Structure formats: C-alpha cells, structure tokens
Amino acid sequence: MTDLADAHVLVLGATGGLGAPISRRLVEAGARVSVSGRSADRLKALAADLGDAVAGVMPADLRLPGAAEHVVRAAVEAGGPLTGVVYAAGVVAFGDTVDLDDDTLDDLLLLNLIAPIRTIRAAVPHLDAGGFIVQLSAIVAERPMAGMAAYSASKAGLTAFGVAAGSELRRRKIRLIDARPPHTETGLADRPIAGSAPKLGEGLAPDAVAERVVRAIIDDERQLDSVAFTDS
Ligand SMILES: NC(=O)c1ccc[n+]([C@@H]2O[C@H](COP(=O)([O-])OP(=O)(O)OC[C@H]3O[C@@H](n4cnc5c(N)ncnc54)[C@H](OP(=O)(O)O)[C@@H]3O)[C@@H](O)[C@H]2O)c1
C-alpha cells in the first residue's frame, strides 16, 4: 500500500476534466499537491477549491522547451521532494492524416508525448524509492483509430515510453503506471485542436476514472490498461 498522507504529488493538466478530479482525490487521501495547467485563471480556481493542500501553483505551456523542467523545479521549491507525479495534460485532434497541418501535428506530439517524457526525466531525481509516476495515455494506444491516427500515435508512443522507462525505474523502486482509459466524458472530444469528433458513444464518468487511477496508486498497481477501467 502507498500511504498518501503527507505525500507531495505534482499534477500536470490539473485543471482538466481528469486532472481536477484526480487532484481532488489525492487531496482526499491526504496528499499535498502542486498543480500545473495552461490557464492561470482555471488554476487559481482549482487551487482555491483544493485549499490548504495546495503546495504550489505553476501555470505553464508545456509545449515550450524548458517548461516541463521549470514546473518540476518550481514544485520541488514550493513543496519539497516529490512522492509522485501525474501527467494528465493532453490535446486531441480528429480528421484524416492528409488533412493534418504541421501545427496540429507538432502540438499533439509536443503535449502528448514529448512533454511527459521531459517531465518524467526532470522529476525522477526528485522522487525517492517508493515514489510513483502516472502518465495518461489512452485506449487508442492499444487500438489505434482511423480519423485519430496522429493522436493514436502520440499515445502509442507514450505507452511504449512508459513500458521501457518503467523497467528502468524499477531499479530505483519508482513505479510508472501507464494508464489507458477509454473515452471519458470530460469534454475533451468537444474541444479538439483540429477536426471534429466522430460519434463516440457514451463515455465513462470522469470521477470514476479518477477514482480508479488513485486506487491504482494506493494499491501499488503497475498496470492500468483500458480493461482495468471497465472491469472494476
Ligand atoms: N477524455 C477522454 O476521453 C480521455 C480518454 C483517454 C485518455 N485521455 C487523456 O487524458 C488526458 C486528460 O484528458 P482530459 O479529458 O482531462 O482533457 P481536458 O479536460 O481537455 O484537460 C486537458 C488538460 O491539459 C492542459 N493543457 C492543454 N494544453 C496545454 C498546454 N499547451 N500546456 C499545458 N497544459 C495544457 C489543460 O490545461 P487548461 O485547462 O489550462 O487548458 C488541461 O488541464 C489527456 O492526455 C487525454 O489524451 C482522455
């Protein structure tokens, strides 16, 4: 069991439909959180909601070089060494690959693949044995979807990174959980950076996904594939 009482957890994408309920559940389990998101206003509102449990508030555009490293450094300065990191930032784009423009492709890969790698690289030296990292990949890493080829590739790349880096981190006794939730009703699909969503069917409830992620942290789980979100 991982005891989150007095843990210090950095959550990136903390203002999101998944990041916010994950942050809330971490706090309910006794953790202090440092929170990061792109919108300073949304971060301020989240921090007010979470109250005294907030150790640090770091707005950042994680697409920019140096931003992930800056967020990690600022979190450690604000709240001390890290017990865990949750990377819950991300964007989605829809449409055929032939219609994909360079800026969209850059943003997908920068935020969904490169920034989490930079974040984890920066955070590991600040995590003690017993620490954890959660990265939010997606079901499309297991089952890539037409009309979401680049998004699927960004998530499959992240999952591959998680498997390999997770093996490296076992030597340091740090757990890396690659979480691959199915479609969830956070509104992400309604604010794509390009294209428009196909009919996706009813998604999971964000709070249920958040609960499952935090349960995996507490129960020392290492795997959180797509089935884990519907099986329990
Ligand atoms: N929802 C789903 O169906 C689903 C399913 C599987 C996996 N996922 C993955 O789960 C993660 C969270 O998704 P979500 O549904 O919670 O999405 P969301 O509600 O749109 O939240 C996205 C988060 O990413 C942040 N963000 C966006 N652009 C950023 C940038 N340039 N720099 C820094 N932060 C940025 C947002 O910050 P602001 O609020 O400040 O904009 C927000 O905190 C994503 O990686 C997504 O791919 C989602």
Side-chain angles (χ1 to χ4, degrees), residues 147-223:
M148 302 171 68
Y151 176 72
S152 300
S154 73
K155 294 299 186 181
L158 183 63
T159 288
F161 168 77
V163 171
S167 298
E168 295 170 9
L169 291 173
R170 274 173 187 246
R171 288 196 294 274
R172 295 175 182 255
K173 301 200 177 351
I174 295 169
R175 254 184 316 143
L176 195 162
I177 303 171
D178 180 63
R180 303 193 282 278
H183 173 52
T184 305
E185 299 294 342
T186 62
L188 173 71
D190 302 322
R191 41 177 180 272
I193 56 171
S196 52
K199 270 205 166 14
L200 291 169
E202 182 70 16
L204 299 180
D207 202 48
V209 172
E211 185 278 332
R212 187 67 190 88
V213 167
V214 174
R215 178 150 47 98
I217 293 170
I218 292 171
D219 288 351
D220 292 338
E221 292 178 63
R222 293 184 173 273
Q223 289 289 332

Side-chain angles (χ1 to χ4, degrees), residues 2-180:
T2 293
D3 184 4
L4 289 173
D6 283 335
H8 177 209
V9 185
L10 167 61
V11 184
L12 302 101
T15 48
L18 290 175
I22 289 171
S23 301
R24 224 165 270 128
R25 284 186 172 272
L26 289 168
V27 167
E28 283 164 12
R32 292 174 299 124
V33 290
S34 285
V35 289
S36 181
R38 184 180 39 179
S39 152
D41 287 347
R42 271 198 290 277
L43 260 185
K44 222 156 104 186
L46 176 75
D49 187 34
L50 297 176
D52 289 346
V54 175
V57 177
M58 288 87 54
D61 184 339
L62 291 169
R63 295 170 300 180
L64 301 175
E69 291 83 354
H70 167 76
V71 166
V72 169
R73 227 180 8 255
V76 172
E77 275 168 23
L82 296 167
T83 316
V85 177
V86 178
Y87 189 95
V91 284
V92 70
F94 300 104
D96 284 356
T97 305
V98 288
D99 299 323
L100 191 64
D101 64 54
D102 277 354
D103 288 344
T104 302
L105 183 56
D106 286 354
D107 284 359
L108 279 172
L109 292 175
L110 279 167
L111 195 64
N112 294 1
L113 178 58
I114 293 174
I117 295 174
R118 287 174 172 159
T119 300
I120 291 165
R121 184 184 63 186
V124 164
H126 302 286
L127 284 163
D128 287 331
F132 63 86
I133 296 163
V134 179
Q135 54 174 33
L136 282 183
S137 180
I139 191 171
V140 294
E142 301 167 3
R143 279 183 270 151
M145 276 182 71
M148 302 171 68
Y151 176 72
S152 300
S154 73
K155 294 299 186 181
L158 183 63
T159 288
F161 168 77
V163 171
S167 298
E168 295 170 9
L169 291 173
R170 274 173 187 246
R171 288 196 294 274
R172 295 175 182 255
K173 301 200 177 351
I174 295 169
R175 254 184 316 143
L176 195 162
I177 303 171
D178 180 63
R180 303 193 282 278

